Amino acid sequence: RRRCSSRGYKPVVAMSVNRLLHKQQAVSSRNVSSNSSSSKPPDTSLFVPVSLKTDPAVHGTVGAELTQPLDKNELLKILNRFYKKKEMQKLAADHGLDARLFHQAFISFRKYVLEMTSLPADLHIILSDICCGAGHIDDVYPYFMRHAKQIFPMLDCMDDLRKISDLRVPADWYPEARAIQRKVIFHAGPTNSGKTYHAIQRYLAAKSGVYCGPLKLLAHEIFEKSNNAGVPCDLVTGEERTFVDSEGRAAGHVACTIEMCSVNTPYEVAVIDEIQMIRDPSRGWAWTRALLGLCAEEIHVCGEPAAIDFIRELMYSTGEEVEVHTYQRLTPFSILDHAVESLDNLRPGDCIVCFSKNDIYSISRQIEARGLECAVIYGSLPPGTKLSQAKKFNNPDDPCKILVATDAIGMGLNLSIKRIIFNSLVKPNINEKGEKQMETISTSQALQIAGRAGRFSSKFKEGEVTTMHRDDLPVLKEILSHTVDPIETAGLHPTAEQIEMFAYHLPDATLSNLLDIFVSLSQVDGLYFVCNIDDFKFLADMIQHIPLNLRSRYVFCTAPINKKQPFVCTSFLKFARQFSRDEPLTFDWVCRHVSWPLAPPKNIKDLVHLEAVHDVLDLYLWLSYRFMDMFPDTAFVRQIQRELDDIIQQGVRNITRLIRATDPNITDPLQTQSNRRSQTGSNIGAASSSVLTKTRGQRGQRASGGVMDSSLASRLVRDGLLTPDLLQQLQKEWSKDQKQENASQNAFDAQHHNNNHGKRKKKKK
């Protein structure tokens, strides 16, 4: 492999004999698996036949003039006999037509022959000869194959397609990185062990550097830390470019999200954070690209010890050694012997971890009903809101001492947590087939979250971990007792250039179909896998009907949007349609689309919509850096996005009120009194005896399977919105009001009776 470039880099020092032998063995073993995979037949179910555009005038009537008109009935018999011949099927299979394609090609060929008013002269003559007994039925085969290759153009270029989709040596995709001898340092350790801190210290001391993080929040944190330390640093994320130089000149250091790192810019030091995400089914390709492609003299990778052996093996393919530094946790955490069981048992510094937004809403509502303030953090909140909630929770002078969060806290936020409480151990995951299923969290996920308990720089020097429910605790202990599964593969993703080359050979295929065929034909060795492309295909199918050139279509489909949000998907479609008309998406156009200005949320539905609008503005900013002329008003859009972030923060601060306004089952008791007093009074009376016998501890536990009382009172007590004491007090007030109302009703009835009696007397007179 070539190790020098025209830019004057020094040749690589020869590797030791042992390393060379090890590398040769690794390469030879991978070649064995690669050769076996190269014989893998393509998935022909992905081959979509192309509709032929035929012009009868082109062929004319030459064939009929030289021979005679063809009898359609005779032709049908000949074609059906051809189809049934095993020899023809075998011959076609040798040329790439398996049983499925052979059948599809034959149906198309038969329709073509029988319905065309004028056939090509050579085909017409052959068919005429067969009808007259002067030709053999096998003579149809070349014309059948000619037709098959017209409707399945991939058959003629299968070798080229296989070469384009050959992903066996991704290290060779980055010649500039291969031209220098890089030093790879692995900082391995658990959460809160200081591994990233040591890597960042080297980054700050370097003349130039790039930090690659998994989240915008982490990139922002390093951006601020670097500039505060007097090291000028730029920020690059999918939606944002911030240059510290007033004239826009690039600084020597840059903090970016990992997808945005440059593999062409030379640096002295590069830091790749959370390297274990190289095996992520959707985003792993970004870590692979950074690790193999960054042009830096030193590559510092930070992550779990489970990735050490794999990164070593991966670096054998580039001829680079890995130096490993290991770290231990700075603050210990212990697994408690008892579950929390009730929200009454919460303490300052507690963080309840949920894996669904509905659980977040429910638990935060119950906590605030107990007179406690809580902060809320989940994935779809804007970064500014997450930081605001984290700051509120971390502030020792703020009355907010409880945090309710999803596993979004696993990385990216510095939080002063004393105790992590798992509300559940089951979360939705996407399997290898792209299907959503509920699974118990892995040891790696559990450690990532549990490791947030106790922090070296906070007042909680020791952390604690437990569960909300008693029966989950032994399961958690079992999960945390295991070692993390070693990483075995790294993700890859087809590039825009590879897809363009595919499209050159298959110009009539849709982008989604191109991706499917690419993945079907792709060859990877044992170290790699092709990342899940379902989100990409979802967007490609959504805008397939919109006229766009392939490169623009590809870029649109790589946009990071939440496909579960209908408003975001609709906006994506409108953006693409406006773009295809070559009409710039102006600030006024965006404001009309999102109905700006927006009012503060009145319920949870409003809050979710505001989060979706924030995502739409993110999408605009993301596209603006790819198509600057078509998305010109980034400054105005960023301004209203900041205002929207403030509105969302206000909504999250009042999240309990929004939940009450959303859920009809959580109606304010006093409101219920005025609206349906008599009905509510009877419900309370019927439920009070069973409700008041419940202990406070039982309110925090899950239902054990019995039939729950569906009355309003029992629901309020069960959800923690009412205590038994408050219920008794309200019951007394409602009973008193009911008596007054009954007395008033009796007086009214008596008056009404007297009036009617007086009228009857007058009528008699």
Side-chain angles (χ1 to χ4, degrees), residues 668-689:
D668 190 318
L670 299 179
Q671 224 175 3
T672 307
Q673 174 194 0
S674 61
N675 293 339
R676 298 189 307 175
R677 183 177 292 155
S678 59
Q679 182 183 348
T680 305
S682 62
N683 282 344
I684 293 292
S688 59
S689 60

Side-chain angles (χ1 to χ4, degrees), residues 391-420:
K391 185 177 179 182
K392 176 184 173 73
F393 173 71
N394 287 338
N395 186 355
D397 299 324
D398 196 290
C400 171
K401 301 301 179 189
I402 309 294
L403 175 63
V404 185
T406 62
D407 52 340
I409 64 159
M411 58 180 73
L413 287 168
N414 292 321
L415 297 162
S416 299
I417 298 171
K418 169 64 174 175
R419 182 170 61 166
I420 288 284

Side-chain angles (χ1 to χ4, degrees), residues 185-206:
I185 299 101
F186 194 125
H187 299 268
T191 305
N192 196 19
S193 60
K195 57 184 183 297
T196 307
Y197 169 81
H198 287 89
I200 293 300
Q201 292 306 111
R202 178 67 188 95
Y203 164 84
L204 294 174

Side-chain angles (χ1 to χ4, degrees), residues 47 49 70 77 118 159 200 231 351 360 412 435 481 486 534 583 620 627 678 738 748:
F47 291 4
L70 298 171
K77 292 177 184 177
S118 175
D159 289 342
I200 293 300
V231 179
C351 171
I360 293 262
E435 301 165 339
S481 68
D534 286 351
E583 297 176 6
Y620 182 97
F627 308 105
S678 59
Q738 186 68 36
F748 176 80

Side-chain angles (χ1 to χ4, degrees), residues 297-364:
E297 297 169 27
E298 291 181 23
I299 308 285
H300 292 257
V301 295
C302 310
E304 295 176 356
I308 294 174
D309 291 340
F310 177 74
I311 299 303
R312 272 203 178 110
E313 187 176 0
L314 207 59
M315 291 297 97
Y316 279 126
S317 66
T318 64
E320 294 160 341
E321 290 184 340
V322 178
E323 178 184 313
V324 178
H325 299 170
T326 56
Y327 304 86
Q328 302 300 318
R329 269 187 68 90
L330 298 172
T331 55
F333 75 82
S334 57
I335 307 172
L336 300 180
D337 291 326
H338 56 274
V340 176
E341 299 196 70
S342 168
L343 296 177
D344 293 325
N345 298 326
L346 293 179
R347 304 195 299 257
D350 278 349
C351 171
I352 304 174
V353 177
C354 309
F355 295 116
S356 83
K357 211 187 282 187
N358 286 337
D359 287 347
I360 293 262
Y361 295 153
S362 174
I363 289 175
S364 60

Side-chain angles (χ1 to χ4, degrees), residues 15 42 68 98 186 190 192 207 236 251 269 274 278 297 314 327 330 341 347 484 486 509 523 544 658 664 726:
M15 293 183 291
Q68 60 185 0
D98 63 7
F186 194 125
N192 196 19
K207 295 177 183 176
V236 176
V269 169
E274 305 293 352
I278 200 168
E297 297 169 27
L314 207 59
Y327 304 86
L330 298 172
E341 299 196 70
R347 304 195 299 257
V484 178
Q523 301 171 64
Q544 182 55 45
L658 301 185
L726 183 56

